[in-house]
Amino acid sequence: MSKGTVSRALNNYADISPATRARVAQAAVELGYAPLAHAQAIRTGRARALGLVLQMEQHDAQRPFLAEFLRGITRAASARNWTLTVATAESEEEGLETYERLIAERKADGFILPRTRWHDPRVALLRAAGCPFVLFGRTADAEAEGCAWYDIRGGAAMQDAVRRLQGFGHRRIGFIGAAPEFTYARKRREGLHAALLKAGLPTDDVLFDEGNATSEDGLAAATRLLAGKPAPTALVCATDTLAVGAVRALRMQGLKPGRDVSVIGYDGAPEGRAADPPLTTYAVDQTAAGARLADILIALIDGTDPESLRETAEATLRPGGTDGPAPQSKRT
Amino acid sequence: MSKGTVSRALNNYADISPATRARVAQAAVELGYAPLAHAQAIRTGRARALGLVLQMEQHDAQRPFLAEFLRGITRAASARNWTLTVATAESEEEGLETYERLIAERKADGFILPRTRWHDPRVALLRAAGCPFVLFGRTADAEAEGCAWYDIRGGAAMQDAVRRLQGFGHRRIGFIGAAPEFTYARKRREGLHAALLKAGLPTDDVLFDEGNATSEDGLAAATRLLAGKPAPTALVCATDTLAVGAVRALRMQGLKPGRDVSVIGYDGAPEGRAADPPLTTYAVDQTAAGARLADILIALIDGTDPESLRETAEATLRPGGTDGPAPQSKRT
């Protein structure tokens, strides 16, 4: 059979009989060649799959939102006929190996990187592999150069929390922060600190308690902060998980959240919404975030300039029952 | 070029010059044929990917465990060099379309079916497509014929709950059930009912309140059951979400969980563990379930007889503070 015949058969030319076409196709498969589903995939070798590696050893903060986040990604991906390949890793090292394996096996054409660190080793790895990626959050400026990202302005939410508490008459505001190697934790602390300075409110070191992750950490941090003299009358927390622990610390001391001490969280987690009273918090739309990240990543894979693929969104205040007028201002 | 030359070139025979091999490979790609990554994939056309379609309109019950479930699946899959393709669907109809799309595009070689219904339309669809699948849970016996499954014995946990409550002196036990079209809900109700009969305890219709999903449903159902005359002294709930609502109903009536009325849940959800007092519940190891489901599905795809791939596991009692001696027995 001539190369011309094989070519015409594989391209379904009408002058080749169906029987010949079938024989050629069968022979091609037997030789280890299989037709790919999409013309584009043929040209580019693409899997039409986005990759997401979830690192499980990290704190739970991402888990309550995982279903919403996946929903956003897969909805946007399937609208463009892409799919999502999910992997998990038990450690950062295993995570990096997982990216390498998925790239080598062409299981994903690019990656969404959740929970960015300020110095994030995934950036160098994916760059070296020439594999497209989008950051959920940011990294240090130098590392983020040439990167696409989607970021929720957590620092702006913290600034809004300070304005809100100042409006309630609070003067001494404490902060329960998360581990500062994560960009989100760093940005929320910076936002709060800047807002306190701008408002002329105290920024003593003793008002800042960082490196916390679990609700038990939040409880312990709130206990430490409330032991200060003078004690803060309001606590802003980097996550709802920490805030739920802080509310528990108040109750253990016989203090009423929203009356004796105000507590504000961040995330919009179900545990905060279900609490009694519901937590005042800044809620993030995780479905929208997942969808935009998928759209950005597909655009990036399609060759769009990464620096034009940078978006931010705001967290939105969801007032609950854990904040209110400062006790001092009621007394006057 | 002869068919023999093409074949020998594609198979990297040494008697074909590198230049010819490269020309043939390039021509094959141009014709729309591309080499697949794995020898096995070449023979079988496999993607070496497991598929999981999450239906989002359904109740939240699965979400608190999603991270653990994904962790189990992906750990087992990557140990065998497989990956996981995840999709979400907003409705049952969209879910079925999603299976069809993923099969047509060879994005998954088989599927894990979470949250089985007693009559589950996914079974017929996947059978008709000749696509392997494993049920998490079971279906009606006739439909399950020839199916592989992994099932947690929720009915047995309900029987254990009745024995436990009977040991505490409870005689009148109510049940807050979920939507009976889901197999898990049906099996838990049946297990409870059988245990009550066996123990010679009342099984009045008024003790059973089914079709519930959210914690608000659990609150309403507990309120109805506690209005019964005589009221039950214990409530067994098909899920922790319902049990958390039931505990809230108790508190609204000034009743103390574990002292005035006992409440037992099922799932081992974080919301129950974080509650005060922690919920007494039957906990399911979702990571182990995900891992076994992945192993079973890969064995099935590899040609193992589905009927030999059927496993059950037990939920394990996690005692909390919401159950205890019946109030009557304390009075005597």
Side-chain angles (χ1 to χ4, degrees), chain A residues 1-3 6-7 10-11 25 27-29 31-38 42 47-49 54 56-57 63 66-68 70-71 74-75 78 81-88 90 101-102 105 107 248 274, chain B residues 1-3 6-7 10-11 25 27-29 31-38 42 47-49 54 56-57 63 66-68 70-71 74-75 78 81-88 90 101-102 105 107 248 274:
Chain A
M1 208 179 286
S2 73
K3 183 177 164 185
V6 171
S7 166
L10 290 172
N11 283 295
V29 169
L31 294 171
Y33 281 66
L36 296 179
H38 304 283
I42 290 165
R48 290 187 81 82
L54 301 167
M56 305 299 290
E57 56 145 19
R63 299 195 196 175
L66 185 55
E68 277 63 39
L70 292 177
R71 173 190 229 161
T74 58
R75 236 196 242 173
S78 71
N81 216 21
W82 285 64
T83 53
L84 174 68
T85 297
V86 173
T88 59
E90 302 296 317
R101 185 168 60 82
L102 294 175
E105 298 184 3
K107 288 300 188 97
R248 211 166 290 158
Chain B
M1 209 178 284
S2 73
K3 184 177 160 181
V6 172
S7 165
L10 290 172
N11 284 295
V29 169
L31 294 170
Y33 283 66
L36 296 179
H38 303 284
I42 291 165
R48 289 187 80 83
L54 301 166
M56 304 299 290
E57 56 145 19
R63 299 194 197 175
L66 186 54
E68 276 64 37
L70 291 178
R71 171 189 230 161
T74 57
R75 236 196 243 174
S78 71
N81 216 20
W82 286 63
T83 53
L84 175 68
T85 297
V86 173
T88 59
E90 302 295 317
R101 185 167 61 83
L102 294 175
E105 298 185 4
K107 288 300 188 98
R248 212 167 290 157

Side-chain angles (χ1 to χ4, degrees), chain A residues 9-317:
Chain A
L10 290 172
N11 283 295
N12 287 325
Y13 276 57
D15 61 342
I16 307 293
S17 75
T20 302
R21 281 209 295 271
R23 264 177 55 219
V24 169
Q26 182 58 34
V29 169
E30 280 166 14
L31 294 171
Y33 281 66
L36 296 179
H38 304 283
Q40 195 178 32
I42 290 165
R43 282 201 310 280
T44 62
R46 280 188 199 162
R48 290 187 81 82
L50 309 179
L52 178 68
V53 180
L54 301 167
Q55 199 168 309
M56 305 299 290
E57 56 145 19
Q58 288 171 355
H59 168 55
D60 274 355
Q62 205 173 32
R63 299 195 196 175
F65 320 109
L66 185 55
E68 277 63 39
F69 188 55
L70 292 177
R71 173 190 229 161
I73 297 172
T74 58
R75 236 196 242 173
S78 71
R80 295 159 190 270
N81 216 21
W82 285 64
T83 53
L84 174 68
T85 297
V86 173
T88 59
E90 302 296 317
S91 65
E92 184 173 283
E93 194 188 352
E94 192 191 322
L96 296 175
E97 288 166 7
T98 303
Y99 286 101
E100 283 173 346
R101 185 168 60 82
L102 294 175
I103 294 167
E105 298 184 3
R106 304 201 168 207
K107 288 300 188 97
D109 304 308
F111 291 89
I112 292 168
L113 304 193
R115 287 177 74 73
T116 39
R117 291 170 182 263
W118 190 241
H119 297 291
D120 200 311
R122 298 174 295 184
V123 170
L125 182 146
L126 291 167
R127 272 211 178 116
C131 184
F133 61 93
V134 56
L135 305 170
F136 186 14
R138 317 247 283 256
T139 60
D141 290 347
E143 291 179 23
E145 214 175 296
C147 289
W149 71 60
Y150 181 87
D151 195 16
I152 312 284
R153 299 186 61 233
M158 295 292 110
Q159 294 182 15
D160 193 71
V162 168
R163 278 194 295 274
R164 179 175 169 89
L165 290 168
Q166 198 181 19
F168 280 137
H170 293 274
R171 300 272 317 147
R172 209 165 163 76
I173 298 172
F175 177 68
I176 301 180
E181 66 259 32
F182 291 108
T183 306
Y184 80 89
R186 187 182 177 106
K187 291 289 183 186
R188 289 175 207 171
R189 186 206 192 276
E190 285 176 0
L192 186 104
H193 192 266
L196 292 178
L197 279 179
K198 194 177 161 197
L201 297 179
T203 56
D204 320 1
D205 281 352
V206 294
L207 289 171
F208 290 79
D209 194 304
E210 293 182 271
N212 302 292
T214 65
S215 69
E216 289 73 24
D217 292 344
L219 192 157
T223 306
R224 284 190 294 268
L225 289 169
L226 293 172
K229 296 189 187 309
T233 61
L235 299 172
V236 179
C237 305
T239 69
D240 283 352
T241 300
L242 295 174
V244 164
V247 167
R248 211 166 290 158
L250 261 57
R251 291 205 192 282
M252 282 171 63
Q253 301 189 23
L255 298 169
K256 203 178 159 206
R259 190 193 63 188
D260 300 318
V261 177
S262 287
V263 177
I264 298 184
Y266 180 100
D267 274 336
E271 60 181 329
R273 201 163 47 219
D276 179 26
L279 194 65
T280 296
T281 189
Y282 288 85
V284 173
D285 186 338
Q286 294 279 339
T287 303
R292 288 308 301 148
L293 283 160
D295 285 341
I296 289 171
L297 181 54
I298 292 172
L300 196 60
I301 294 167
D302 282 344
T304 309
D305 174 21
E307 304 213 358
S308 74
L309 294 170
R310 293 175 169 181
E311 282 182 34
T312 57
E314 305 293 327
T316 51
L317 175 69

Side-chain angles (χ1 to χ4, degrees), chain B residues 12-325:
Chain B
N12 287 325
Y13 276 58
D15 61 343
I16 307 292
S17 75
T20 303
R21 280 211 295 271
R23 264 175 56 219
V24 170
Q26 182 57 34
V29 169
E30 280 165 15
L31 294 170
Y33 283 66
L36 296 179
H38 303 284
Q40 194 178 32
I42 291 165
R43 282 201 309 280
T44 61
R46 279 187 200 163
R48 289 187 80 83
L50 309 179
L52 178 69
V53 180
L54 301 166
Q55 199 167 307
M56 304 299 290
E57 56 145 19
Q58 289 171 357
H59 168 55
D60 275 355
Q62 205 173 31
R63 299 194 197 175
F65 319 111
L66 186 54
E68 276 64 37
F69 188 55
L70 291 178
R71 171 189 230 161
I73 296 173
T74 57
R75 236 196 243 174
S78 71
R80 294 160 190 271
N81 216 20
W82 286 63
T83 53
L84 175 68
T85 297
V86 173
T88 59
E90 302 295 317
S91 65
E92 183 173 285
E93 195 188 351
E94 193 191 322
L96 296 175
E97 288 167 8
T98 303
Y99 287 101
E100 284 173 345
R101 185 167 61 83
L102 294 175
I103 295 168
E105 298 185 4
R106 303 201 169 207
K107 288 300 188 98
D109 304 307
F111 291 90
I112 293 168
L113 304 193
R115 284 178 76 72
T116 40
R117 291 169 181 263
W118 190 240
H119 298 291
D120 200 311
R122 297 174 295 184
V123 170
L125 182 146
L126 291 167
R127 272 212 179 117
C131 183
F133 61 93
V134 55
L135 304 170
F136 187 14
R138 318 248 282 257
T139 61
D141 291 346
E143 289 179 25
E145 215 174 294
C147 288
W149 70 60
Y150 181 87
D151 195 16
I152 311 285
R153 299 186 61 234
M158 296 292 110
Q159 294 182 16
D160 193 71
V162 168
R163 278 194 294 274
R164 177 174 170 88
L165 291 169
Q166 199 183 18
F168 280 138
H170 293 275
R171 301 272 317 148
R172 212 167 159 74
I173 298 171
F175 178 69
I176 301 180
E181 65 259 32
F182 290 109
T183 306
Y184 80 88
R186 187 181 177 109
K187 292 288 183 187
R188 290 176 206 171
R189 187 206 190 277
E190 284 176 2
L192 186 103
H193 193 266
L196 292 177
L197 278 179
K198 193 177 161 198
L201 298 178
T203 57
D204 320 2
D205 281 352
V206 293
L207 289 171
F208 290 79
D209 195 304
E210 293 181 90
N212 302 294
T214 64
S215 69
E216 289 72 25
D217 292 344
L219 192 159
T223 306
R224 285 191 294 270
L225 289 169
L226 293 172
K229 296 191 187 310
T233 60
L235 299 172
V236 178
C237 305
T239 68
D240 283 351
T241 301
L242 295 173
V244 164
V247 166
R248 212 167 290 157
L250 260 59
R251 293 206 192 279
M252 284 171 61
Q253 301 188 25
L255 298 169
K256 200 177 162 207
R259 190 192 66 186
D260 300 318
V261 177
S262 286
V263 176
I264 297 183
Y266 180 100
D267 274 335
E271 59 180 329
R273 200 165 44 218
D276 179 28
L279 195 64
T280 296
T281 189
Y282 288 85
V284 174
D285 186 339
Q286 295 278 341
T287 304
R292 289 307 302 148
L293 284 160
D295 285 340
I296 289 171
L297 181 53
I298 292 172
L300 195 60
I301 294 167
D302 282 343
T304 310
D305 174 21
E307 304 212 358
S308 74
L309 294 169
R310 291 174 171 182
E311 281 182 35
T312 57
E314 305 292 329
T316 51
L317 176 67
R318 187 196 289 159
T322 57
D323 67 338

